[in-house]
Amino acid sequence: MTSERRFIPVASPVFTGNEKTYVTDCLETGWISSGGNYVGRFESAFAEFCGVRHAVACCNGTVALHLALMALGVKAQDEVIIPTLTFVATANAVTYCGARPVFVDSEPLTWTINSAAIERHITPRTRGIIAVHLYGHPAEMDAIKAIAEHYNLFVIEDAAEAHGAEYKGRRAGSLSDMATFSFYGNKIIATGEGGMVVTDDARLAERARLLRGQGMDPERRYWFPIIGYNYRMMNIPAAIGLAQLEKVDWHIARRLEVAAWYREELRDMPGINWQTTPAWARHVYWMWTIVMEKKTEPERNQIISRLQQRGIETRPVFYPVHSLPPYRDPTQSESYPVAEQISRCGISLPTWAGVTYSDVHYICRNLRECLAEPFGRAARDESQNTEA
Ligand SMILES: *Cc1c(COP(=O)(O)O)cnc(C)c1O
């Protein structure tokens, strides 16, 4: 083991622009609630960034999904197709509508939803498909949209991890009926908590706006024609978001650079895989994530705790949602081998705008050493200290 001591977090926001100035402005003018003008400015700038007409800011990426599903009319008993390999929020938002998420396995190269497996999950109750741009890698949108058109389904992009990702030269957010983003503290643009719904459809945007603001008639104060929600974004996170967005090209360029360093450092390491990026994709690397072939889950967890001891914070890949207690279905025998393998053997390494070449070199050298140590029965015990 090397004697050098470091601590490298798996993710961290970086504020290099007008964040402080804009937040100070909120405080000095007293505009801290959702009434302040940074919300509208952030929405307009974000819509332009995605190449769409409308953006509706809200308080996080989960409610952004809920708003999109409600705007598209998802209701009780409906089914919505989603990849099983995603953050749980994708499924939860469907459940909030009283609908049922139907899980599809991942595609082995990009790890996004396997479009070839979608069709056989369509039933008369299916209303739409949520494509998740996993870890910043765009899903195969043309194939997904062709199926959706054929069966008259909506498509939502869950682009929570994919600000600035591109599919065939078009931005994430502009590739479906409605798309949603998250600005949680570890995302590519971070506002603490925050989310956005984007769409080209004025009617859907208006519907999302209405639902976001308690359902209040925009022409008649305190008149509520429907039951809405308070899902509004506050002015302070919007001010941070606007400042982050002004620097988004820099944030993405830094992530691409970090990913290139990882690729270079890990190129010769046997048994390590990562998302393969086809020519049509611009991956923006929310997380540089590797899969260690032929490792068991306890061994993977042991690697995580060994790296932690060396000052390197990592994350395991999400559990496939179909395996989580609320979503397990004992009547279902379907297996999801690709998602399960990625989940079991996957680790996300530190990926954020402040990671240096020296950090990546240190991380990869330590990873190599940790992989070379023997794995014992202790794997399970050692991993218990690691709370991801
Ligand atoms: C982060 C994330 C969300 C939820 O966003 P929050 O802002 O944390 O509510 C939804 N989907 C995916 C794929 C995410 O990574």
Side-chain angles (χ1 to χ4, degrees):
M1 196 188 302
T2 42
S3 54
E4 183 190 6
R5 297 300 300 173
R6 293 194 189 193
F7 176 71
I8 309 171
V10 69
S12 179
V14 178
F15 305 121
T16 56
N18 289 319
E19 287 88 350
K20 214 170 181 176
T21 312
Y22 292 171
V23 169
T24 304
D25 184 39
C26 294
L27 297 174
E28 283 177 351
T29 59
W31 283 104
I32 55 170
S33 74
S34 56
N37 69 20
Y38 284 103
V39 178
R41 290 170 65 189
F42 185 33
E43 287 177 336
S44 310
F46 199 79
E48 191 186 332
F49 170 68
C50 293
V52 297
R53 289 199 194 89
H54 309 280
V56 180
C58 55
C59 45
N60 60 60
T62 307
V63 307
L65 281 163
H66 191 199
L67 286 172
L69 289 161
M70 288 190 291
L72 287 159
V74 173
K75 56 187 188 323
Q77 315 304 328
D78 287 345
E79 292 176 359
V80 178
I81 290 174
I82 72 167
T84 188
L85 192 64
T86 181
F87 182 58
V88 70
T90 318
N92 284 349
V94 173
T95 307
Y96 300 160
C97 299
R100 193 169 77 86
V102 173
F103 304 110
V104 168
D105 201 1
S106 304
E107 196 274 313
L109 292 178
T110 68
W111 307 356
T112 59
I113 191 166
N114 184 348
S115 53
I118 290 176
E119 211 157 353
R120 64 187 164 82
H121 291 86
I122 294 173
T123 75
R125 294 182 189 276
T126 309
R127 294 292 319 282
I129 303 166
I130 304 179
V132 180
H133 302 317
L134 193 73
Y135 293 122
H137 194 300
E140 223 205 312
M141 296 307 297
D142 281 351
I144 294 164
K145 279 198 288 194
I147 297 164
E149 248 160 61
H150 188 258
Y151 290 92
N152 195 24
L153 309 174
F154 65 74
V155 180
I156 293 174
E157 292 160 81
D158 180 348
E161 306 174 354
H163 319 63
E166 287 175 13
Y167 176 79
K168 297 186 178 172
R170 292 179 57 198
R171 280 275 160 87
S174 70
L175 304 161
S176 57
D177 298 298
M178 295 187 102
T180 64
F181 290 84
S182 165
F183 309 114
Y184 182 67
N186 68 9
K187 299 284 162 86
I188 295 174
I189 290 177
T191 67
E193 298 277 2
M196 194 80 80
V197 182
V198 302
T199 181
D200 263 332
D201 185 321
R203 199 186 46 85
L204 290 174
E206 192 190 331
R207 186 88 190 146
R209 243 172 239 290
L210 187 70
L211 287 159
R212 174 187 70 174
Q214 301 281 21
M216 187 167 81
D217 187 335
E219 312 287 299
R220 197 171 166 195
R221 185 163 284 268
Y222 302 133
W223 184 255
F224 302 93
I226 59 163
I227 294 177
Y229 298 78
N230 178 359
Y231 280 176
R232 295 183 298 264
M233 176 182 273
M234 296 191 299
N235 208 37
I236 290 175
I240 298 171
L242 181 64
Q244 291 262 289
L245 190 57
E246 289 168 353
K247 293 273 180 187
V248 68
D249 291 339
W250 177 81
H251 282 272
I252 293 170
R254 288 291 305 119
R255 286 168 179 277
L256 294 179
E257 192 174 22
V258 170
W261 291 332
Y262 275 123
R263 203 176 293 110
E264 192 54 41
E265 289 281 321
L266 296 172
R267 198 183 295 281
D268 305 325
M269 257 169 91
I272 304 281
N273 285 321
W274 49 82
Q275 287 167 293
T276 308
T277 310
W280 47 257
R282 184 202 198 196
H283 186 350
V284 284
Y285 302 99
W286 173 53
M287 290 276 169
W288 174 268
T289 302
I290 55 168
V291 162
M292 301 175 297
E293 278 176 6
K294 302 199 183 76
K295 287 280 172 285
T296 62
E297 191 178 332
E299 286 168 348
R300 186 275 309 271
N301 294 344
Q302 202 166 359
I303 297 284
I304 288 176
S305 76
R306 285 174 184 173
L307 288 169
Q308 183 75 34
Q309 284 158 17
R310 293 157 182 249
I312 299 161
E313 191 186 28
T314 62
R315 286 284 182 277
V317 166
F318 307 126
Y319 289 102
V321 181
H322 76 269
S323 70
L324 299 173
Y327 293 107
R328 251 183 242 151
D329 182 353
T331 67
Q332 269 276 352
S333 60
E334 179 162 5
S335 67
Y336 303 86
V338 178
E340 278 163 9
Q341 204 247 347
I342 295 166
S343 167
R344 210 168 34 235
C345 312
I347 295 184
S348 297
L349 301 176
T351 318
W352 47 284
V355 172
T356 65
Y357 174 70
S358 155
D359 291 333
V360 170
H361 183 71
Y362 176 83
I363 292 160
C364 295
R365 189 181 62 210
N366 278 280
L367 177 66
R368 200 171 279 119
E369 288 172 10
C370 292
L371 279 162
E373 284 173 25
F375 295 94
R377 279 269 63 216
R380 239 162 240 291
D381 304 329
E382 215 182 304
S383 70
Q384 304 219 314
N385 304 328
T386 324
E387 199 40 73

